[in-house]
Amino acid sequence: IDRIGFEAFLPYIFAEEFVAVVFLSTKSYPKKFSEIFDQLQRAALSVSLNIAEGCGREGIADKRKYFVIARG
């Protein structure tokens, strides 16, 4: 992962595509749903951010921690 960079890491690519789908899908809904869609957007973004963070960590245990959070 470190040698290729997280941008080429397949789970990161899928997570970024998921973020795009979530943001586009929730963009035009009525304001009364804004809280739930805000939470969905933040959760989707969190996956890719945790993968990127994990890729930047040195130790295996540290990497695993972020990947497990992203998977959750």
Side-chain angles (χ1 to χ4, degrees), residues 3-68:
R3 291 175 282 166
I4 61 172
F6 68 88
E7 294 94 348
F9 189 42
L10 202 53
Y12 179 80
I13 294 169
F14 290 150
E16 284 292 294
E17 290 175 2
F18 181 65
V19 168
V21 168
V22 167
F23 272 74
L24 286 173
S25 300
T26 58
K27 194 164 107 173
S28 61
Y29 279 89
K31 206 161 182 75
K32 67 180 180 180
F33 297 115
S34 66
E35 288 181 24
I36 195 160
F37 288 130
D38 178 60
Q39 184 177 1
L40 179 60
Q41 290 172 346
R42 287 183 289 116
L45 188 57
S46 174
V47 174
S48 57
L49 292 175
N50 276 298
I51 291 171
E53 179 78 19
C55 288
R57 296 297 174 159
E58 294 294 323
I60 300 279
D62 219 12
K63 286 181 186 290
R64 184 180 301 125
K65 179 179 97 173
Y66 285 95
F67 295 155
V68 167

